[in-house]
């Protein structure tokens, strides 16, 4: 059976839902999501959304901080686009009822406090207002627990996707005039991550299988302050905003050690702090310490983080919190232009799956939620022009057959996923070596992937390793050991 829509959006995080909201003015929108609508990384975002709104801040400073943190590898035009687009993006979120706090917060790499929050779970708040706003739009329909398995490429254009409901063997087709990849990140390819279970880099596999190249995927950002113990397949994050408020990072002797690595210490960019914590961990546990900060202020600013820590018998106001660096964010992805368009006509990419060039070799904190809103608007403005020019024809894919894919038992799929995570964490993690990368490549290809979900993860893992091997010198979040440690 073929479903028809003007716009197919794959993913229901901030990028997918914001794009759906804007495109609903132009035609019918189908949002496809592989879990339930809230199963996204957006739901777990904490720190907030960066933007120059305060009188004593300025755009050039945000641009400079982004370029410097990105280790000189960012595309400046894309950086300028998000920085200048921030006031409008935040205004949009307010217009759909996001309540933003009056004072911005500080995070690493920013020379000013310019991270705007609604609470200490800003991502969840954003997702809730976006769900409400999109559910009100008559033109938008949702398909949950349904996965995009393959993009439909016909006559050199993307014409939709083959999809599969997770409870069914058979596949269906969606014919779409335009398809928007908004599938998020790939943290789950690494054994330790802040990312939610669905973040296995599907969008990158879909793009590669459609004939596209990936860009900058060696730049995996590791977040230095995840809770040291994992639960439900991920590590809970301890937001960088905690450090923005004065939290210290200390070793088992209670010593601050970050100044040895960078004068900005706890507020240096994430790549530096993660590596320093990684090195310190070789000799003992590392902690986040907030005990010196007014407990009333800590409780009022971080009620949700406190609640989660309580489940682990920990309290920010009284305890040293054990931390560890884990995989957090893909700085690269499917390359797009400044309108979100990929090299494949009919296919756009937005959010973490895309590589707009904004993040370069290392993303500046809280630029991701911002990028997602600014580029979803850019996509809708571009597609509005093609509607006005009547440039897109109806799509007919009736004659196309669904591909035959193997579907194995879910426990087998999970076991292979775990193996990939182990290989990547051990060999393609915070500190990489040429030998480790070669070993990882050899081991990844020996996994007997038959199920398409395992094949997707295997393919993306392989592409990351290849990208790392193609860059023997360290840059930003990509760190090759021989040079320093
Ligand atoms: P997601 O929100 O991850 O959504 C991806 C969607 O795609 C999901 O619905 C998923 O189910 C769906 N999907 C995936 N594959 C398929 C498929 N094959 N078929 C169908 N659907 C599919 N950034 C900031 O700017 N500020 C922060 O404070 C911040 N805090 C963070 C905290 C945590 C713990 C994490 C993990 C990230 C944080 N980030 C933050 C990064 C930011 O949250 C993410 O980059 C951003 O939310 C990604 O949005 P997205 O819409 O691209 O992807
Ligand atoms: C955090 O709150 O530390 C995460 C912010 C981000 O990933 O940008």
């Amino acid at each position: 059976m073929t479903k028809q829509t003007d716009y197919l959006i794959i993913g229901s995080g901030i990028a997918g839902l914001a794009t759906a909201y804007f495109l609903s003015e132009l035609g019918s929108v189908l949002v496809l999501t592989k879990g339930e609508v809230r199963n996204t990384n957006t739901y777990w975002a904490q720190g907030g959304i960066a933007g120059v709104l305060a009188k004593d801040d300025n755009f050039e400073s945000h641009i400079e901080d982004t370029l410097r943190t990105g280790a000189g590898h960012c595309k400046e035009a894309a950086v300028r686009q998000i920085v200048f687009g921030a006031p409008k993006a935040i205004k949009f979120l307010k217009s759909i009822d996001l309540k933003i706090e009056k004072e911005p917060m500080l995070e690493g790499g920013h020379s000013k406090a310019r991270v705007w929050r609604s609470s200490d779970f800003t991502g969840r708040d954003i997702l809730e207002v976006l769900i409400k706003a999109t559910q009100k739009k008559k033109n938008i329909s949702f398909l949950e627990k349904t996965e995009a398995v393959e993009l439909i490429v016909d006559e050199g254009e993307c014409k939709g996707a083959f999809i599969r409901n997770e409870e069914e063997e058979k596949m269906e087709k969606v014919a779409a005039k335009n398809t928007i990849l908004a599938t998020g990140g790939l943290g789950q390819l690494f054994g330790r991550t802040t990312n939610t279970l669905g973040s296995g880099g599907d969008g990158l596999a879909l793009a590669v299988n459609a004939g596209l190249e990936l860009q900058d995927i060696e730049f995996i950002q590791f977040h230095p302050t995840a809770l040291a113990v994992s639960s439900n397949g991920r590590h809970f994050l301890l937001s960088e905003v905690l450090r923005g408020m004065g939290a210290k990072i200390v070793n088992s002797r209670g010593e601050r050690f970050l100044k040895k690595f960078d004068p900005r210490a706890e507020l240096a960019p994430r790549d530096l702090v993660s590596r320093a914590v990684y090195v310190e961990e070789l000799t003992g546990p590392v902690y986040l310490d907030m005990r010196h900060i007014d407990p009333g202020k800590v409780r009022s600013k971080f009620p949700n983080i406190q609640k989660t820590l309580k489940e682990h018998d920990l309290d920010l106001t009284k305890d040293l919190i054990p931390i560890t660096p884990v995989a957090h964010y893909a700085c690269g992805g499917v390359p797009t232009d400044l309108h979100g368009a990929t090299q494949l006509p009919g296919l756009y990419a937005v959010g973490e799956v895309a590589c707009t060039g904004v993040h370069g070799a290392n993303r500046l904190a809280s630029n991701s939620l911002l990028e997602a809103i600014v580029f979803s608007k850019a996509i809708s403005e571009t597609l509005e022009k093609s509607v006005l020019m009547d440039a897109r024809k109806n799509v007919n894919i009736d004659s196309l057959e669904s591909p035959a894919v193997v579907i194995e038992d879910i426990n087998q799929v999970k076991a292979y996923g775990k193996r990939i995570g182990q290989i990547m964490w051990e060999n393609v993690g915070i500190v990489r070596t040429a030998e480790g990368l070669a070993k990882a490549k050899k081991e990844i290809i020996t996994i007997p992937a038959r199920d398409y979900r395992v094949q997707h993860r295997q393919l993306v893992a392989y592409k990351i390793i290849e990208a790392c091997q193609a860059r023997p010198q360290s840059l930003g979040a990509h760190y090759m050991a021989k040079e320093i440690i």
Side-chain angles (χ1 to χ4, degrees):
M1 205 183 99
T2 303
K3 296 181 192 300
Q4 296 279 346
T5 185
D6 291 325
Y7 305 106
L8 169 64
I9 296 181
I10 308 174
S12 62
I14 184 172
L17 294 189
T19 312
Y21 182 89
F22 296 131
L23 288 179
S24 67
E25 300 300 317
L26 307 179
S28 58
V29 178
L30 175 62
V31 177
L32 187 76
T33 190
K34 75 175 177 182
E36 285 164 3
V37 76
R38 289 176 180 77
N39 288 357
T40 62
N41 271 341
T42 302
Y43 188 82
W44 294 102
Q46 294 183 355
I49 177 163
V52 174
L53 303 185
K55 284 202 179 79
D56 62 347
D57 198 359
N58 70 81
F59 292 119
E60 289 307 320
S61 156
H62 189 184
I63 290 165
E64 208 177 298
D65 290 345
T66 305
L67 296 175
R68 193 184 325 112
T69 301
H73 193 69
C74 308
K75 185 167 159 187
E76 188 168 337
V79 173
R80 290 187 168 273
Q81 185 163 326
I82 66 154
V83 168
F84 286 112
K88 241 181 165 174
I90 295 172
K91 196 169 167 197
F92 159 68
L93 290 172
K94 283 185 178 166
S95 78
I96 56 167
D97 224 13
L98 184 75
K99 307 280 178 260
I100 299 217
E101 290 177 357
K102 286 206 170 70
E103 294 299 323
M105 306 298 280
L106 181 63
E107 285 188 281
H110 286 279
S111 51
K112 276 256 169 225
R114 64 165 75 94
V115 175
W116 300 89
R117 332 185 303 166
S118 50
S119 71
D120 57 339
F121 274 9
T122 300
R124 182 187 296 186
D125 302 337
I126 290 178
L127 200 67
E128 292 302 342
V129 293
L130 276 169
I131 290 172
K132 228 187 222 161
T134 45
Q135 282 179 345
K136 275 192 210 146
K137 298 270 182 186
K138 288 201 180 68
N139 258 356
I140 304 179
S141 46
F142 290 83
L143 210 49
E144 290 181 291
K145 296 188 178 172
T146 308
E147 197 168 29
V149 175
E150 196 172 304
L151 295 172
I152 296 174
V153 183
D154 182 42
E155 296 168 327
E157 284 181 31
C158 182
K159 295 185 175 174
F162 294 107
I163 65 170
R164 185 179 83 90
N165 178 288
E166 71 179 35
E167 271 131 36
E168 290 168 19
E169 293 270 315
K170 70 175 172 52
M171 280 208 269
E172 288 183 277
K173 289 183 272 189
V174 181
K177 291 180 188 166
N178 289 102
T179 301
I180 294 94
L181 271 183
T183 49
L186 50 71
Q188 283 287 335
L189 292 179
F190 292 81
R192 295 183 192 182
T193 182
T194 57
N195 284 198
T196 185
L197 292 182
S199 307
D202 289 14
L204 304 186
L206 296 175
V208 171
N209 287 337
L212 293 172
E213 299 284 337
L214 303 178
Q215 190 182 323
D216 290 347
I217 51 165
E218 64 275 35
F219 303 116
I220 306 294
Q221 181 171 76
F222 297 87
H223 198 299
T225 59
L227 189 63
V229 287
S230 72
S231 50
N232 304 323
R234 56 186 292 274
H235 286 253
F236 180 69
L237 185 73
L238 294 153
S239 175
E240 207 158 308
V241 168
L242 297 164
R243 279 177 276 141
M245 249 179 73
K248 299 172 193 160
I249 292 180
V250 297
N251 61 20
S252 52
R253 294 178 299 283
E255 298 158 350
R256 287 175 77 191
F257 54 89
L258 288 165
K259 280 224 164 90
K260 281 190 291 189
F261 293 86
D262 191 282
R264 290 165 290 180
E266 279 82 0
L267 290 175
R270 262 173 218 172
D271 57 339
L272 295 165
V273 181
S274 288
R275 281 198 291 275
V277 174
Y278 173 89
V279 171
E280 196 66 27
E281 266 186 340
L282 299 174
T283 55
V286 178
Y287 302 94
L288 192 77
D289 187 359
M290 275 204 107
R291 296 172 302 172
H292 54 289
I293 299 172
D294 171 10
K297 205 169 162 196
V298 172
R299 278 193 282 270
S300 78
K301 284 283 182 193
F302 304 103
N304 296 303
I305 293 180
Q306 274 287 70
K307 201 169 151 201
T308 307
L309 287 179
K310 210 169 164 203
E311 292 163 19
H312 297 268
D313 261 339
L314 291 167
D315 183 332
L316 283 173
T317 66
K318 295 187 185 131
D319 298 311
L320 284 172
I321 313 294
I323 53 159
T324 196
V326 302
H328 182 63
Y329 185 84
C331 299
V334 180
T336 72
D337 65 14
L338 297 179
H339 309 285
T342 72
Q343 289 281 309
L344 180 62
L347 183 69
Y348 290 74
V350 64
E352 194 167 336
V353 68
C355 179
T356 60
V358 161
H359 309 301
N362 182 38
R363 175 176 64 96
L364 180 66
S366 290
N367 268 352
S368 170
L369 298 175
L370 173 61
E371 180 199 37
I373 299 284
V374 170
F375 274 84
S376 47
K377 187 71 184 154
I379 289 175
S380 77
E381 283 169 0
T382 304
L383 289 174
E384 187 177 3
K385 282 182 203 139
S386 69
V387 169
L388 292 175
M389 294 178 335
D390 208 11
R392 289 286 296 168
K393 298 175 279 235
N394 280 329
V395 170
N396 187 339
I397 53 167
D398 289 347
S399 61
L400 299 182
E401 293 282 324
S402 297
V405 293
V406 174
I407 298 156
E408 285 187 304
D409 175 67
I410 191 67
N411 292 319
Q412 180 66 71
V413 172
K414 283 184 185 164
Y416 285 137
K418 203 166 168 195
R419 178 74 193 119
I420 292 172
Q422 199 179 7
I423 297 168
M424 295 298 280
W425 179 256
E426 285 170 8
N427 303 291
V428 197
I430 299 166
V431 173
R432 298 164 176 166
T433 63
E435 297 74 29
L437 294 175
K439 180 168 177 264
K441 198 177 203 178
K442 212 161 131 193
E443 291 181 1
I444 285 288
I445 52 175
T446 58
I447 290 174
R450 292 174 61 244
D451 184 288
Y452 72 91
R453 292 163 291 187
V454 185
Q455 286 177 343
H456 282 177
R457 287 192 177 205
Q458 185 183 40
L459 174 63
V460 180
Y462 188 85
K463 289 278 172 190
I464 294 171
I465 300 166
E466 260 190 350
C468 293
Q469 287 179 319
R471 190 179 289 283
Q473 305 297 321
S474 298
L475 186 70
H478 170 63
Y479 187 82
M480 294 296 290
K482 266 187 205 145
E483 291 168 31
I484 297 178
I485 289 180

